[in-house]
Amino acid sequence: MWFDLAHGKEKVNFMFNNELSLNGSELENFLFYDLSKIRICFNTRHIPKKNTR
């Protein structure tokens, strides 16, 4: 998946049943802060159904 090293990825995997994709997404912005963090924001029209377990 595209965020294998992301912090908190387990939450996203659980919410979207490991089906979230950046295909067809647009980069909105990115922020660098605290000398070691980056936040990347995307816009997408395709959001998979959430996991209802």
Side-chain angles (χ1 to χ4, degrees):
M1 213 162 203
W2 57 270
F3 55 89
D4 287 337
L5 301 176
H7 178 71
K9 69 178 180 177
E10 296 82 10
K11 294 176 188 177
V12 176
N13 284 337
F14 179 76
M15 288 186 331
F16 297 109
N17 199 22
N18 205 23
E19 294 179 5
L20 187 61
S21 172
L22 291 180
N23 292 340
S25 298
E26 297 177 353
L27 177 66
E28 180 179 317
N29 64 36
F30 61 93
L31 304 167
F32 292 102
Y33 55 97
D34 293 339
L35 299 175
S36 63
K37 296 180 183 178
I38 183 171
R39 175 173 283 188
I40 304 171
C41 301
F42 294 94
N43 287 328
T44 184
R45 293 177 186 227
H46 174 70
I47 298 177
K49 294 180 182 181
K50 70 180 186 175
N51 192 351
T52 57
R53 285 192 254 178

